[in-house]
Amino acid sequence: MTAQGGEAKGNYKLDNLELEYETIESDTLAGEVSRMYSTGRSLSYKHVTLMRTSNWDKDLTIVNENINIPRKSMSAIVLLFTNRVRNDSEEYIYPNIDKVNLTIEGVPNAVFSQGLPKSRFFEEAKRFFCPMCEKSMADEFMSISKFFSTGFALVVDLRSTQDDTTGGGRKIVNTQSGVLMEINKRATTADIQCNIFVVSDALLNFASRDLSSIQY
C-alpha cells in the first residue's frame, strides 16, 4: 500500500476479494445500454478526499483550518477527531468545540448567519449521514449520547437542499481563499489529531464504451 505522498506504508495483504456484478438478460435492453456507453454517458457519485491531517495542541482555544481545493459542487466538509495517541481505531472524540464560523471565498457567515453552534452539531451530522432515515432508525444509528462520546463528527453541510441532488453543493473557484473555518473550543486533556475530509459531487464520463474523464 502506498500513501498519497508516495511513501510505502507497510506490508499489507488483501485476501478473498470478490467481484459482485449484475447481468442484463434481455438482448434489447443490453443493446440499448451498450449504445448509451458508446455515444456518451455520465454516472454521478460522491467523491471523498482526505485533504489534510492536522495536529492540535491540547491548550488551543481557536483553530483556523483552510480548505482550498476547487470543486464544482462541494457537498460537505467533515472533520473526524482522535487523540494523537490512539488506542481504539473506531473511536472518534468530541474535542470541546463550542462554535464554528465559516467564511467562503471571502464572504463571512456564508452558510450559517451567526456561525454553527454546538447545539446544532448533532442535527447537522444526522442531516448529512441519515437524510432518508426514519426517526427511529436515525436515533438507533446515531444517538446523541454516543455522538458526543465515541462517535463525534463535525459536519459542515454545504448542500442547497437535503435531497442530495447532484450539483447541489457549493462551487469553490477561488482556491486562494477557499473555505476558512474558525473553530472556537476549550482546552482538552490530550493533544488532538484532526482529519479533514471534503465530500463532493463527481461524474464518471464514458465515451466509446470507455472511461473518458472524471469531473469533481
Side-chain angles (χ1 to χ4, degrees), residues 50-152:
L50 173 57
M51 201 197 88
R52 182 170 63 251
T53 296
S54 301
N55 291 319
W56 295 4
D57 186 84
K58 62 182 180 181
D59 296 324
L60 282 178
T61 56
I62 297 179
V63 182
N64 290 304
E65 294 286 0
N66 184 230
I67 293 84
N68 57 353
I69 53 177
R71 287 292 183 266
K72 293 184 177 180
S73 178
M74 189 179 291
S75 299
I77 300 167
V78 179
L79 278 63
L80 298 178
F81 303 92
T82 64
N83 287 316
R84 198 176 300 181
V85 179
R86 194 175 186 186
N87 298 318
D88 185 345
S89 62
E90 297 184 359
E91 180 183 56
Y92 295 94
I93 64 172
Y94 166 58
N96 292 344
I97 297 174
D98 292 319
K99 188 177 180 181
V100 178
N101 293 310
L102 208 67
T103 299
I104 299 181
E105 296 191 323
V107 179
N109 303 321
V111 179
F112 309 99
S113 60
Q114 297 183 22
L116 176 63
K118 177 185 175 181
S119 59
R120 289 292 307 170
F121 292 168
F122 178 68
E123 292 301 322
E124 287 295 304
K126 191 163 66 171
R127 178 178 185 263
F128 186 75
F129 289 116
C130 301
M132 304 302 291
C133 294
E134 296 290 339
K135 185 179 185 304
S136 59
M137 293 175 61
D139 290 343
E140 181 180 353
F141 173 72
M142 185 184 289
S143 67
I144 192 167
S145 59
K146 179 181 178 181
F147 181 73
F148 280 105
S149 57
T150 60
F152 182 78

Side-chain angles (χ1 to χ4, degrees), residues 42-47 72-75 158-171 199-205 215-216:
S42 296
L43 301 177
S44 62
Y45 72 102
K46 289 297 182 186
H47 182 275
K72 293 184 177 180
S73 178
M74 189 179 291
S75 299
L158 301 175
R159 298 172 300 171
S160 57
T161 60
Q162 192 176 342
D163 61 6
D164 221 12
T165 303
T166 299
R170 285 274 179 161
K171 185 174 183 179
V199 184
S200 309
D201 294 319
L203 291 175
L204 293 173
N205 299 314
Q215 295 179 329
Y216 47 78

